Each structure stands twice: as C-alpha cells, then as structure tokens.
Amino acid sequence: MSSYQKELEKYRDIDEDEILRTLSPEELEQLDCELQEMDPENMLLPAGLRQRDQTKKNPTGPLDREALLQYLEQQALEVKERDDLVPFTGEKKGKPYIQPKREIPAQEQITLEPELEEALANATDAEMCDIAAILGMYTLMSNKQYYDAICSGEICNTEGISSVVQPDKYKPVPDEPPNPTNIEEILKRVRSNDKELEEVNLNNIQDIPIPMLSELCGAMKTNTYVRSFSLVATRSGDPIANRQWPGDAVEMEMATVLEQCPSIVRFGYHFTQQGPRARAAQAMTRNNELRRQQKKR
C-alpha cells in the first residue's frame, strides 16, 4: 500500500454527520459558500455560474444594458490615446541588399574550341533547346520541349529556350452543350413503360419543376425497362429523394445478390453495417477477378 493510500485510510471511518452537527452557523455558511463554487474553466456556463457569489452588496437596481453600453462607449472616447514611443516618419533605414557577383574560379572556367564556340554563338533557340535536352539539362526548358527533343531525334521544336518562363499552351476545352432532353416527353414514356427507353439523362437541367421531378421519380417505381437514371446538377434534393438507410436485413440481401451475380463488377453503395460490407467487398473482388480471367482467355 502506498503512502497516499495509507493517508486516506484514516478518513474511512469518519462520521460526517457528527462533524456537521458540531459546526457553528458561521462555519456552515462558509461551507455552503464553498459548495456553491462551480467549474471556473467551463466556458459553456455563464460567468455568474462559474464561481460563487462573493459580494455582500445589495443590487442598486435592474440591469440597463443600453445605459451600460453608452457609459462604456463614453469612457472609451474620453480616454486619451497613448502616444507612440517612436513616431513613424516613413524613413527607410539601412542599405538595400545587393547580391555580390560571384567570380568563377580559374579551375571552373571552361574554354571550348573555336569551332564549338562559333557553333554555339550562331545556334538558334530551337537548337539550344535540343542540345540542353541531350545533355540532360531539363530545367532550361518546358516539359513539352524536353520530350519533343528526346522522342523526335531531330530539331523540331521552334519554341526556343525563352519559353521556359511561359506555361505550355493547351487547347481550351469547350463547355458541354445544353441538355436537349424534353422532360414532358420523357415523363410520358416512363409512365407508359416504353421498352425502347433504357436511359434517362437529366443532368445539368436546373429548371425542372419540383412537382415534375416528383412525378418522374414516382413513375420509376413501375417502370421495368429504364436501366440508367441520371439526376446530376438538378434540384433533386430531399423533397424528391428520401435519404433513408435500408437497414440491416436489406443490406444482407444486397450482399447475397452480389454473391450470386458474378457479372456485377461495380456497385455504388456504402454499406452501414460491417457484416454486409465485408461480404460485398469479397464478392466484388471475386467478380473482378473472374472478369480479368475471362479477358485473358
């Protein structure tokens, strides 16, 4: 037994009621004040509940918040601003840093043959770019220049080394054309269970009325031919589709279907339970492995 535990043992048989009966009224009042102390570090409690009330002064009247704010604002306006110890004049002290020129040591200086110096002096930017690529100095050119010089084997890049500080130019990608789907016609075909309608694409149509979206989703319940239904970037929020988890039993049935259908290689659903999730992951791994083996054959 540690010394701390031994120290606590002597308080085990103390009669608290007997101690309370022997206290005087002043001591009981002091004990009551001590018990009223709350958690002072709990920022969720109001300031008046973080510690006990330690004042005996009676309130002078009800709290007037507007008068208190006006008094604090008046006090702030009357207080004189502190003067700066050193007034700001805008003067810049010190000298600007000038990087010293580095002299190339004699052992690092390279002297080329007159023919090579003349060839380099008369070389074009494209030729200098190809020479840098051959020497592996890829930092002097863009990635496009470097790979063009390496792969072509001849001088074909006329951009020059000066394009290093410029980004590569790429062809702009035009915006997608507006979705030409006729909502009313699609709704009629879905209701009539048209066997030629296998895909419904309503992506990026943001002016579809909410009631029409609801009718379209309701008609999907009885349709047996539509295989793909896309609603990206539409107003299909909670009023259209109820976001509710299927539950344990439904997820187990979904995992069983995946195990019995080896042709399914992609399944976009997030299982909430560990058991169905593990079974579904194992089934999808098996299905993808079967598909890979079939492609090899």
Side-chain angles (χ1 to χ4, degrees):
M1 184 180 297
S2 63
S3 59
Y4 176 72
Q5 293 177 343
K6 292 180 180 179
E7 186 69 20
L8 293 179
E9 282 296 324
K10 65 181 182 181
Y11 300 106
R12 183 180 298 276
D13 300 329
I14 292 180
D15 189 358
E16 292 86 357
D17 296 334
E18 181 65 24
I19 295 176
L20 291 176
R21 282 195 295 268
T22 59
L23 294 178
S24 63
E26 292 78 10
E27 292 175 337
L28 287 175
E29 184 180 358
Q30 183 180 359
L31 178 61
D32 184 55
C33 292
E34 294 292 338
L35 293 177
Q36 288 181 4
E37 184 173 355
M38 302 297 181
D39 186 5
E41 297 182 357
N42 190 354
M43 301 302 296
L44 299 179
L45 291 176
L49 299 180
R50 294 181 198 168
Q51 61 182 1
R52 67 178 186 274
D53 187 7
Q54 303 180 17
T55 179
K56 302 294 184 180
K57 183 180 179 181
N58 295 327
T60 57
L63 174 63
D64 189 349
R65 184 175 181 274
E66 295 297 330
L68 178 61
L69 293 177
Q70 292 178 4
Y71 173 76
L72 294 176
E73 183 178 357
Q74 184 65 27
Q75 288 292 325
L77 294 175
E78 293 178 356
V79 174
K80 183 180 179 181
E81 295 183 359
R82 186 184 63 180
D83 296 334
D84 294 335
L85 300 179
V86 179
F88 177 73
T89 59
E91 180 184 359
K92 294 183 179 179
K93 298 183 179 180
K95 298 180 180 179
Y97 174 77
I98 300 176
Q99 186 176 3
K101 296 182 179 179
R102 177 178 175 273
E103 296 183 0
I104 303 177
Q107 61 271 18
E108 295 183 9
Q109 295 181 2
I110 301 175
T111 303
L112 300 177
E113 297 180 0
E115 294 82 3
L116 292 176
E117 290 188 358
E118 183 180 358
L120 291 176
N122 298 328
T124 61
D125 288 344
E127 292 172 344
M128 293 294 294
C129 180
D130 289 335
I131 292 173
I134 295 172
L135 297 177
M137 304 173 67
Y138 55 88
T139 57
L140 296 181
M141 65 196 75
S142 63
N143 291 337
K144 184 175 182 298
Q145 289 175 320
Y146 177 74
Y147 287 110
D148 286 350
I150 292 296
C151 298
S152 63
E154 59 184 3
I155 301 174
C156 60
N157 196 323
T158 59
E159 293 180 358
I161 296 183
S162 60
S163 66
V164 175
V165 296
Q166 302 175 0
D168 295 334
K169 295 181 180 179
Y170 298 96
K171 294 182 179 179
V173 179
D175 296 335
E176 295 184 0
N179 194 335
T181 304
N182 190 330
I183 309 298
E184 297 180 354
E185 181 182 355
I186 288 295
L187 180 58
K188 293 180 182 179
R189 296 179 64 183
V190 171
R191 284 177 174 173
S192 62
N193 204 13
D194 188 354
K195 63 180 181 180
E196 296 183 357
L197 181 64
E198 296 183 355
E199 180 181 359
V200 176
N201 183 3
L202 305 181
N203 292 345
N204 301 322
I205 304 180
Q206 300 182 1
D207 57 348
I208 305 177
I210 298 297
M212 186 172 293
L213 274 175
S214 301
E215 293 179 9
L216 187 59
C217 293
M220 284 293 178
K221 298 179 181 179
T222 58
N223 190 283
T224 58
Y225 293 103
V226 176
R227 301 169 60 91
S228 175
F229 186 38
S230 302
L231 288 171
V232 178
T234 59
R235 295 187 295 174
S236 54
D238 288 337
I240 306 302
N242 296 327
R243 282 145 181 83
Q244 182 176 1
W245 297 113
D248 229 359
V250 177
E251 289 190 350
M252 292 298 292
E253 290 294 332
M254 295 166 66
T256 303
V257 171
L258 293 177
E259 292 173 345
Q260 297 175 355
C261 298
S263 60
I264 300 178
V265 295
R266 295 182 62 187
F267 189 70
Y269 175 75
H270 178 71
F271 289 87
T272 59
Q273 302 297 328
Q274 179 64 26
R277 187 188 304 120
R279 289 180 54 184
Q282 186 177 1
M284 298 304 294
T285 303
R286 182 203 61 187
N287 294 351
N288 282 276
E289 181 64 21
L290 292 176
R291 176 64 62 86
R292 187 181 65 82
Q293 294 177 0
Q294 291 175 0
K295 288 183 178 180
K296 282 187 177 181
R297 297 174 185 174

